[in-house]
Amino acid sequence: MARYDRAITVFSPDGHLFQVEYALEAVRKGNAAVGVRGTDIVVLGVEKKSTAKLQDSRSVKKIVNLDNHIALACAGLKADARVLINRARIECQSHRLTVEDPVTVEYITRYVAGLQQKYTQSGGVRPFGLSTLIVGFDPYSGVPSLYQTDPSGTFSAWKANATGRNSNSIREFLEKNYKETSGQETIKLAIRALLEVVESGGKNIEVAVMTKEHGLRQLEEAEIDAIAAEIEAEKEAAEAAKKAPPKEK
Amino acid sequence: MKLDTTGMESAAPVWGSHNELVDGFSAAPSFELPNTTDFDGFQKEAIQMVKPAKGTTTLAFIFKEGVMVAADSRASMGGYISSQSVKKIIEINPYMLGTMAGGAADCQFWHRNLGIKCRLHELANKRRISVTGASKLLANILYSYRGMGLSVGTMIAGWDETGPGLYYVDNEGGRLKGMRFSVGSGSPYAYGVLDNGYRYDMSVEEAAELARRAIYHATFRDGASGGVASVYYVGPNGWKKLSGDDVGELHYRYYPVMPSTIEQEMAEVTGA
């Protein structure tokens, strides 16, 4: 098998592109990222590895704007992310220039995925080692969307999804607990999902919220702590309720 | 200076173009410009060679119910009328029209090409392209051929999500958004009638009649315009051809022949 992972333009005998699969491994080692779509809001949450004492935390924002109405979070190689994000930002402006219209979420996702695919079919380059979660609102209809791309260049729309470390557990949790929500409820659902795999506290997660009116807003640490505390309280109440009924019999 | 030849791209992708990975922008296939010492002079000569006279009358205007588009149908080569039945209103797609003024081949080809691009946009984005977007695509292509002798003076009229849209696009790469436009050698005459009779609140029939009259008056005075006055209406359900009247017949409809009194007196006197 080692013979088939040098030049990535080569398939292995059983139909694998090993470089792409290795890139997915890199994603699996990256920090957890979760995205949830509500009826009037989309929420992105990312695990924040503890910043070093001397590091300026403002310079390591993991959830970024691609345009006023589109945001992106990713898991995997952060350096690759920077390149991809810059290309996507240019494309957003280029689209505005050529058709006098902001991009739709689907368009820019297709562009990012197309870019990732191109690097799986060229000589001398390696794939981007990241999966992205792209959220935003359609400029005309105002409908919120959440999309995910991966190193192979595939993309699809999701109601809620996770990528990066322990993404399987988060996705399981979302599958069990997802329902159509709006506003604060959606934020809570996203944080609950992230807290399944991350230590509780505003220090360890970064959450950003996108609404049609206000665009992207990063939540303050204090806000996240407050919501996390709410979630804890709800969990305890649920536990207590579970223990109570048997006694009532 | 790289020309935008995306309009002439074939469906087959360029093989192994490494440049695309390095550039921040997608590189369109391009060809080199001729090596001249005096590029401005070369441009002037190219324009003189083709001499875009734009012998025609076309007009379009937005009103309450949508967009009205009208044109004549005469093609002239100097003093010779080569055709009285040219289709100057080009159907880009079921909800967008383009008018032809200038070089017939240029207009036809680039409008057809615009139709292809609009359709590809629909397929890729699962929604129709806006009139704004379509006119900008055409304007960008024409801009990249600036000075090469293209002769196109067109109006893109259509109905999209934002309502009726009308843009004027020409071979200089200019693009204007507006409510009323007339293009061609007969346009001054058409503007006179159009601007005089225009109201935003017109019915479809009133607007059609205004458009028809404006074209007729232009053909009456301008030698390079004539033939048939075609009138199209673009509404929320797309375009519809309303009429195509021979301007000779329109003349007698508007100005019927009245027997004058002197002629009546010239009757034969029977007997003495």
Side-chain angles (χ1 to χ4, degrees), chain A residues 110-231:
Chain A
R110 201 164 3 105
Y111 177 81
V112 170
L115 212 47
Q116 287 179 295
Q117 191 279 341
K118 213 180 284 196
Y119 280 70
T120 69
Q121 209 176 3
S122 307
V125 294
R126 60 161 179 82
F128 287 98
L130 68 147
S131 294
T132 68
L133 288 171
I134 299 177
V135 297
F137 286 83
D138 185 294
Y140 274 125
S141 63
V143 169
S145 323
L146 163 66
Y147 283 85
Q148 191 216 28
T149 73
D150 64 27
S152 64
T154 55
F155 72 95
S156 53
W158 294 75
K159 294 181 199 163
N161 200 0
T163 181
R165 231 170 14 166
N166 300 321
S167 56
N168 286 329
S169 339
I170 307 183
R171 209 171 300 123
E172 258 179 58
F173 173 84
L174 285 169
E175 277 175 18
K176 256 189 257 163
N177 295 288
Y178 177 82
K179 47 184 199 302
E180 285 281 324
T181 50
S182 66
Q184 197 67 6
E185 282 304 307
T186 318
I187 304 176
K188 234 196 258 183
L189 180 58
I191 296 181
R192 267 171 69 203
L194 205 47
L195 289 178
E196 288 283 304
V197 300
V198 174
E199 271 175 52
S200 179
K203 279 202 303 320
N204 301 313
I205 54 179
E206 189 181 312
V207 180
V209 157
M210 170 158 281
T211 48
K212 194 152 168 291
E213 300 81 31
H214 304 292
L216 189 69
R217 183 174 75 87
Q218 307 269 2
L219 263 53
E220 304 274 326
E221 228 183 85
E223 270 185 88
I224 302 175
D225 278 333
I227 300 175
E230 246 184 84
I231 294 170

Side-chain angles (χ1 to χ4, degrees), chain A residues 97-98 100 104 107 110 119, chain B residues 21 124-125 127 132 136 175:
Chain A
L97 188 59
T98 50
E100 284 188 12
T104 56
Y107 178 94
R110 201 164 3 105
Y119 280 70
Chain B
L21 299 177
N125 296 290
R127 72 182 333 154
T132 312
K136 193 119 196 202
R175 173 174 166 270

Side-chain angles (χ1 to χ4, degrees), chain A residues 50-128:
Chain A
S50 50
T51 48
K53 268 204 197 133
L54 297 172
Q55 196 178 50
D56 186 349
S57 54
R58 284 172 305 165
S59 68
V60 282
K61 281 280 172 267
K62 295 191 177 164
I63 303 174
V64 295
N65 257 326
L66 292 184
D67 201 344
N68 295 335
H69 60 301
I70 312 241
L72 174 148
C74 54
L77 269 51
K78 287 291 172 265
D80 288 3
R82 213 175 48 233
V83 172
L84 212 52
I85 288 167
N86 282 338
R87 299 278 279 273
R89 282 173 173 166
I90 291 174
E91 180 59 25
C92 284
Q93 296 310 309
S94 177
H95 187 272
R96 275 182 187 261
L97 188 59
T98 50
V99 293
E100 284 188 12
D101 243 348
V103 294
T104 56
V105 193
E106 202 254 337
Y107 178 94
I108 196 64
T109 307
R110 201 164 3 105
Y111 177 81
V112 170
L115 212 47
Q116 287 179 295
Q117 191 279 341
K118 213 180 284 196
Y119 280 70
T120 69
Q121 209 176 3
S122 307
V125 294
R126 60 161 179 82
F128 287 98

